[in-house]
Amino acid sequence: MIGVLCTARSGSSAFAKYLGKVVGAPINRVFIHRVPDEFKNMYEYGKYFIDTYEKIYIIDRKDKHSQSESLAFRKTKYGDNFNRYFTKEVYDTIDYEYVEKCKKQFIKQSKVLEKLGRIYEIDLIYYEDLYRDKEKIKSLGLYNEKLYDLYLNPNDRHRKFENASTKLL
């Protein structure tokens, strides 16, 4: 069994879909912050998850500000309608107070993931490495060109930026 332990807005959905297609098996993805009642904290939950699976990938994001903007925008606009979190769109309004709250939580979550990675000797995979180019996927021995273009192509991110209009003179 393969598991993906992650923070929100880290590219974990696309990575889990990609991974499932490459290995031909279902992938169980859990967010470190969604701790079930039977666990005391994120660390205990993460430890249990890692101990349960044969192979684990830990996914996070280095750029906490962008990660926080992504969550704040989507949470404010869509609430808990998580299906809408994959809409490709320009972030037209962002609540920066909420961004700061999100950032504090993401920093806590990342510290737990880093600690688990150190203890279990699991290298963290970062959003920025997944979406920069193919090298990270290749280094994991998971590269499939057709599936990479379908799921992890850096040109297919959820956040869109307005294009500057060009005028011909």
Side-chain angles (χ1 to χ4, degrees), residues 131-147:
Y131 287 96
R132 180 180 49 233
D133 56 37
K134 302 168 187 167
E135 294 312 307
K136 183 62 181 178
I137 291 295
K138 286 180 178 179
S139 75
L140 296 169
L142 298 171
Y143 182 67
N144 175 300
E145 184 175 5
K146 188 183 267 185
L147 294 173

Side-chain angles (χ1 to χ4, degrees), residues 3-72:
V4 173
L5 184 60
C6 58
T7 55
R9 312 310 304 161
S10 62
S12 63
S13 295
F15 178 75
K17 287 177 189 173
Y18 174 82
L19 183 60
K21 295 289 185 184
V22 168
V23 300
I27 306 300
N28 189 14
R29 179 178 62 112
V30 301
F31 295 101
I32 191 67
H33 70 281
R34 291 194 184 155
V35 180
D37 292 338
E38 62 264 27
F39 298 96
K40 294 178 192 169
N41 54 46
M42 290 186 287
Y43 176 76
E44 186 180 280
Y45 179 47
K47 200 168 173 318
Y48 170 80
F49 186 75
I50 291 171
D51 289 339
T52 304
Y53 285 82
E54 297 168 22
K55 178 70 178 166
I56 292 289
Y57 294 93
I58 301 176
I59 311 290
D60 198 6
R61 195 162 174 170
K62 295 174 188 174
D63 183 349
K64 296 298 173 208
H65 186 77
S66 293
Q67 184 179 27
S68 300
E69 279 184 342
S70 179
L71 182 62

Side-chain angles (χ1 to χ4, degrees), residues 94-120:
I94 297 176
D95 177 346
Y96 284 99
E97 280 186 40
Y98 195 46
V99 168
E100 289 306 312
K101 288 180 184 177
C102 293
K103 194 181 299 184
K104 288 177 184 173
Q105 293 305 311
F106 281 132
I107 289 168
K108 288 179 188 176
Q109 294 166 26
S110 292
K111 287 180 181 176
V112 172
L113 292 180
E114 289 166 6
K115 181 176 180 181
L116 289 165
R118 271 193 318 274
I119 290 169
Y120 284 91

